[in-house]
Amino acid sequence: MKKGLVLGIYEAEDENNISLTPTAINYDELVKGKLRQNIFLAGPKIPKGHARVFWGLDEKDYAGIAVVGLGKKNLGINQLEEIHEGKENIRIAAAAGCRALDAVEIKDIQLEALGDAEAAAEGAALSMWFYQGLKNKEKQKILPKVSLYGQEGEEQWRIGSIKAQAQNWARHLADTPANLMTPTIFSTEVHTVLTKLGITVQIHNEEWAEQKKMGSFLSVSHGSCEPPKFIEIHYKNADNSQPIVFIGKGVTFDAGGISLKPSADMDEMRADMSGAACVVAAIRAAAELKLKLNIIGLIPLTENLPSGTATKPGDVVIAMNGKSIIVDNTDAEGRLILADALCYAQEFNPSFILDIATLTGAMRIALGGAATGVFTNNSTLFEKLKNAGTLSGDRVWRFPLWQHFTDEMTKKVKSADVRNVAKIKGGGSCTAAAFLREFVSNNTPWLHLDIAGVMGPGPDKLPYIPAGMTGRPTRTLIQFLQALC
């Protein structure tokens, strides 16, 4: 098998000069200056995020050498863009170098740290994996093996690989067709993966949810013959500290119920459990990184389909906290299953609750694929999450959680305590968050992440994630958990 190597080059102030990374300088000395010579021959300027492949420099170890543009040296956080440009440039460059070698059939790739081994590992691992599912094995693309060149940054490379592999698992869960990722199958896979890491996983059935009086959650499942499940995950690695609760929306297929969605692109609704996928992936990474935290994951799982037994527009259901909900639109189902999960979360006396969901099309309109929308009653937690997004390259943006939106969901309702959709036009993501707020006690810190814009399918705003469901913002969640340790 041919071997290849990825090395970095910075943007030089003088166009007639080149500025190699220290590792690339060392390699150039090994090949007696051939690397510099070939770069000059080809034209010294290699743009940021681009790669150029050179052959015949190294007759002993590497068939091809990809040199990737890293942009300017020593870049940090761009305050306006709210992103660490240096780390992001490295992710993009790592992906470009690996793709360039893969395109010329080099499947054993070594990648230098490029100044940040964690970011390099993330860019490489995310860019080299994509969902191939049940495609004929003979026709499946052989994915390259990527490893670190040298010993500099081995621990950081390990951390970046864990984060990227967690996100790739979330991508796998989200992109798997709905008939192959039912609530039962999802539960089984999560149990198999997480219990191997010493994490406790309980899979609750419909009868358990009935005993808990989760009428809001169960109302969504009435249209499907697939039984709903409710996963409860316990990761414990801190003595007697209050747990963090992560809640992920797990609608494994969303046709909209009786309020049927348009048929165009309805297949994408296989990924309406992306919130659930991000939660289980983040907890997996927390265990692999041995984070000193106690985390509880709650995943309500169901399909949302139309049938003779499905919930109808205008029906009233009762949530776990006793509040009555008039279901004006059965396609606003994510908030219904999250409502009961939020109520149940408070039984654990958490330090805070974070829920994550592909909740509203309005969020996709507002932010596109640029960032995750966040609603919260705690500014300190938001700043930590925002900083995590700045470092991970997968950003978040805060939206208002004002009484104005709560009034639209509660004060104008005559026959129930709250409605599941507002009657006004506009502000759909804000009124959805206001609905969820009705199921969180006032003294509990809480974050709600709406990921409808970033779920995919790509190609999206991150050039190191191939087309398909994205698994975003898994790495931001992991970075956030690291900041809490």
Side-chain angles (χ1 to χ4, degrees):
M1 184 184 293
K2 288 190 293 186
K3 291 178 69 176
L5 176 62
V6 180
L7 299 169
I9 185 171
Y10 294 107
E11 191 177 296
E13 293 182 9
D14 179 1
E15 287 192 6
N16 295 319
N17 198 3
I18 61 174
S19 178
L20 297 172
T21 62
T23 303
I25 290 171
N26 291 338
Y27 179 80
D28 186 50
E29 290 174 358
L30 284 175
V31 295
K32 298 181 170 50
K34 288 183 185 176
L35 180 62
R36 281 181 180 272
Q37 183 182 359
N38 277 265
I39 292 172
F40 274 119
L41 283 172
K45 188 173 177 60
I46 300 178
K48 179 179 70 175
H50 289 251
R52 195 172 291 158
V53 178
F54 299 98
W55 302 91
L57 304 186
D58 184 340
E59 297 174 4
K60 181 182 176 185
D61 293 318
Y62 303 102
I65 308 294
V67 179
V68 291
L70 291 164
K72 293 179 180 177
K73 265 186 184 177
N74 302 320
L75 290 177
I77 294 172
N78 182 321
Q79 297 294 340
L80 180 61
E81 292 290 329
E82 297 183 5
I83 198 166
H84 193 298
E85 288 186 311
K87 289 179 180 290
E88 193 68 354
N89 286 353
I90 289 167
R91 291 184 192 100
I92 294 168
C98 291
R99 283 173 174 157
L101 292 177
D102 182 38
V104 291
E105 296 301 318
I106 293 178
K107 299 296 183 180
D108 186 353
I109 299 170
Q110 289 195 309
L111 170 66
E112 68 139 306
L114 300 174
D116 188 321
E118 181 178 327
E122 289 175 346
L126 289 169
S127 66
M128 289 293 96
W129 185 90
F130 65 98
Y131 181 77
Q132 299 188 77
L134 293 180
K135 190 169 186 174
N136 188 304
K137 294 291 182 186
E138 294 178 0
K139 295 182 180 179
Q140 285 193 16
K141 179 178 172 63
I142 298 171
L143 302 178
K145 183 189 95 177
V146 183
S147 57
L148 177 65
Y149 175 69
Q151 296 179 319
E152 179 193 346
E154 283 183 340
E155 178 59 17
Q156 289 72 30
W157 178 273
R158 185 186 73 87
I159 292 169
S161 297
I162 286 171
K163 290 180 177 181
Q165 294 305 332
Q167 184 166 342
N168 285 344
W169 186 37
R171 292 165 66 194
H172 156 75
L173 292 170
D175 237 341
T176 302
N179 63 320
L180 304 177
M181 193 54 69
T182 64
T184 300
I185 297 171
F186 185 99
S187 302
T188 302
E189 177 161 346
V190 168
H191 184 275
T192 300
V193 171
L194 296 188
T195 52
K196 289 177 182 176
L197 298 170
I199 300 169
T200 302
V201 180
Q202 298 171 272
I203 303 172
H204 300 300
N205 59 18
E206 187 173 359
E207 290 70 30
W208 175 88
E210 288 171 349
Q211 290 170 6
K212 287 290 183 181
K213 298 183 177 177
M214 293 183 171
S216 184
F217 163 47
L218 291 173
S219 72
V220 178
S221 70
H222 289 167
S224 175
C225 61
E226 289 287 345
K229 301 291 181 183
F230 192 106
I231 308 178
E232 184 176 328
I233 302 164
H234 289 261
Y235 167 73
K236 187 168 172 47
N237 198 30
D239 294 335
N240 300 320
S241 65
Q242 281 181 286
I244 296 160
V245 175
F246 276 13
I247 298 171
K249 173 186 169 184
V251 177
T252 58
F253 189 77
D254 180 20
I258 297 296
S259 305
L260 193 65
K261 290 180 181 291
S263 60
D265 299 326
M266 193 195 284
D267 65 292
E268 293 177 7
M269 289 299 99
R270 67 188 181 278
D272 209 24
M273 33 56 70
S274 291
C278 288
V279 166
V280 298
I283 295 175
R284 166 184 161 171
E288 291 175 338
L289 294 169
K290 297 180 171 56
L291 299 185
K292 297 293 183 183
L293 295 169
N294 294 331
I295 308 170
I296 295 171
L298 303 177
I299 313 290
L301 289 158
T302 181
E303 293 181 332
N304 183 30
L305 300 178
S307 77
T309 57
T311 297
K312 303 171 290 297
D315 285 0
V316 174
V317 300
I318 308 297
M320 187 178 170
N321 65 351
K323 287 191 177 182
S324 56
I325 305 164
I326 184 165
V327 183
D328 286 328
N329 188 324
T330 65
D331 194 25
E333 85 299 331
R335 63 200 71 179
L336 295 175
I337 72 172
L338 292 175
D340 281 332
L342 287 165
C343 294
Y344 183 53
Q346 284 151 103
E347 292 188 1
F348 299 100
N349 187 31
S351 58
F352 71 88
I353 299 170
L354 180 149
D355 77 72
I356 178 167
T358 49
L359 206 67
T360 64
M363 185 56 69
R364 181 175 282 190
I365 292 168
L367 290 177
T372 293
V374 181
F375 300 80
T376 183
N377 59 8
N378 189 288
S379 294
T380 302
L381 284 173
F382 174 74
E383 286 303 317
K384 288 183 177 179
L385 183 66
K386 174 186 167 186
N387 290 339
T390 296
L391 294 175
S392 73
D394 202 349
R395 294 169 286 187
V396 301
W397 185 260
R398 189 173 184 178
F399 282 76
L401 194 64
W402 294 336
Q403 186 64 36
H404 168 83
F405 300 110
T406 298
D407 290 346
E408 292 295 335
M409 304 302 284
T410 57
K411 286 194 173 179
K412 298 178 181 179
V413 186
K414 304 300 181 187
S415 58
D417 297 314
V418 60
R419 59 169 34 114
N420 80 325
V421 289
K423 293 296 186 183
I424 57 167
K425 289 185 178 180
S429 300
C430 300
T431 52
F435 173 90
L436 294 177
R437 190 181 188 183
E438 292 299 298
F439 304 92
V440 181
S441 64
N442 291 331
N443 60 350
T444 302
W446 164 62
L447 300 122
H448 160 58
L449 279 61
D450 191 335
I451 61 170
V454 300
M455 64 174 264
D460 217 320
K461 303 298 181 185
L462 299 183
Y464 43 86
I465 299 181
M469 298 305 168
T470 65
R472 295 173 60 192
T474 297
R475 288 178 301 107
T476 296
L477 292 182
I478 301 165
Q479 188 74 39
F480 177 56
L481 290 172
Q482 287 179 297
L484 298 172
C485 293

